Amino acid sequence: MAAATDPMLKAAALAAGRLLGTAVDETALTNDPQYRATLAAEFDYVTPENATKWGPLEPTASNYDWTHADAIVQFARDNQMAVKGHTFLWYQQNPSWVSTSLSASELQSAIKSHIQTTMTHYQGLVRAWDVVNEAVDTETESGYKDNIFFETLGPDYIADAFRWAREADPDALLFYNEIGIERVGEKSDFAYQMLSDLLAQGVPIDGIGFQSHVSTHRYPSDTDLRANLARFAALGLRVNISEADVRDTVMPGSAEARALAQRIAYQQITAACVLEPACEGITLWGFTDEYTWLQQEGDFNPLVFTRDYQNKPAYQGVLDGLRGLLPKRGNNLLRNSDFAAGVNEWTTNAGSLSVAAASGRDGNAACVDGRSAAGDGLVQSELLNQLSDGGPFAFSAWVRADMSSELDASLLIAEQDKDPREFNIATTYADAGTWVELSGYLGLGFEATPLSVGLKVYGPAAQVQLCVADVVLQPLTVE
Ligand code: XIL
């Protein structure tokens, strides 16, 4: 059976010199001919969505069930697709025998033998492995995820796993894979430091995967994404986008606005990889909404084909991204956005506002002094006319605080018969006295008739001076 329309993604990826991958669900592969046809026509890289996780592969100690994983690897071979194995060590989907009742040395030998047996079975057939997945958790005291491996072995399990994997198959590429580190920030900083330390100790890590499970209503800007990819690449790592999907249901508003926001999210994630020389590929976490893992959590439509295999606008987003095109930016919707006209058009919800030549930057900056809470900052009201249709926008501002702080931007939204809501559109962290770019993309939609929209930049603790320069809010459009 043929795919619904002429397949275009794989050829575009080839032209861009990038792999284009997808997670593969073995049940769908076996039962759904259109799934198989679309997979083979559009992609040249596959990651078993579940079949090569520890639990499915080795349900009881030393008893392996290769059936499901083998079916995927065989399909890939038959269709000239490369395979990425996923994943040896993760906190989910482990077999029940891998538990805290194992001693440290028992757990180590279980890990070692699982990695060796699996990599030997797939030697020459699997191009790369996600050796460790989601080991970082900045909510814990240590910064490491409290999984069974960390609890029993401490952080050394990570280096050991990579060393054992290299020993087992020196030809396979070894990846670290992580969720929620797409933007520069606390979690990606921790992952960056961890990987640079491991590499400095000679641990054999070839690459890093940025999962990129994002949402239309708020996601990293391309500058943020690209800066983040580039710093990991500068460590000598290959980088890839490893599990991209874009939830659209958190964003209220029309189906068209949401579809456009989703398309643009895919476009900028894909383009960020194409524009970064060390980025070797983009893997989507599935391709038809029929089988997305997010259905378990509600009625999400995060992928590039509809449930009956029609191309969505998101498909065109991936295609444009593969051509290296970033979304087009319209005019800045903010008034007096560089403070050339002093405080005109700007207010503060607490404290005092003044405009002067920015110290440490060209042009003017607006500074707010005497703030009485972290939520106090610089405000521009009356943006409803420009924003009433909703849709995707890019936001950016340069910000500086007197004390090392988290910095934020929000839209302040009032709608008919609704409680006013504050919609955070960008967050960053700045060292004291340093200008940083605060940026993000947002899909704006309204839950009811909108009455007013304002923009606020804020964040540092009470009394800390906050300065802002060059504030930009632009609608995003496509070719
Ligand atoms: C998900 C699968 O898609 C689901 O089918 C399964 O029930 C749970 O795991 N990060 C990862 C992936 O690294 O392995 C996860 O996959 C999604 C989040």
Side-chain angles (χ1 to χ4, degrees), residues 5 20 136 172 192 248 309 315 350 359 413 440 453 475:
T5 44
L20 185 66
V136 175
Y192 175 81
D248 74 342
Y309 296 92
Y315 178 100
S359 76
I413 299 174
V453 183

Side-chain angles (χ1 to χ4, degrees), residues 56 69 86 145 206 228 262 276 311 326 330 343 359 364 471:
H86 171 84
K145 183 92 190 166
D206 300 307
N228 200 31
Q262 187 178 59
E276 166 52 56
N311 297 355
L326 286 166
V343 297
S359 76
N364 281 352
V471 201

Side-chain angles (χ1 to χ4, degrees), residues 11 28 31 48 62 71 83 94 111 157 161 212 230 232-233 257 274 276 279 294 327 393 396 410 471:
N31 298 330
S62 305
V83 180
N94 288 314
I111 294 171
Y157 81 87
S212 312
F232 283 91
V274 168
E276 166 52 56
C279 191
L294 292 171
F393 295 90
S396 160
S410 288
V471 201

Side-chain angles (χ1 to χ4, degrees), residues 74-96:
Q74 188 59 47
F75 183 88
R77 266 176 82 96
D78 293 345
N79 292 281
Q80 293 82 46
M81 306 163 101
V83 180
K84 187 189 211 197
H86 171 84
T87 168
F88 293 129
L89 301 184
W90 188 32
Y91 73 98
Q92 285 184 33
Q93 293 179 274
N94 288 314
S96 54

Side-chain angles (χ1 to χ4, degrees), residues 22 49 78 110 150 182 216 240 282 285 295 398 401 445 452 467:
T22 174
E49 185 166 350
D78 293 345
F150 183 79
E182 291 75 33
T216 42
N240 71 40
I282 303 106
W285 209 237
Q295 268 172 30
W398 286 84
S452 69
C467 295

Side-chain angles (χ1 to χ4, degrees), residues 49-50 53 86 90 93 133-134 211 243 285 293 296:
E49 185 166 350
N50 292 298
K53 289 170 182 171
H86 171 84
W90 188 32
Q93 293 179 274
N133 190 30
E134 300 182 2
Q211 290 187 15
E243 304 186 11
W285 209 237
W293 70 302
Q296 299 157 7

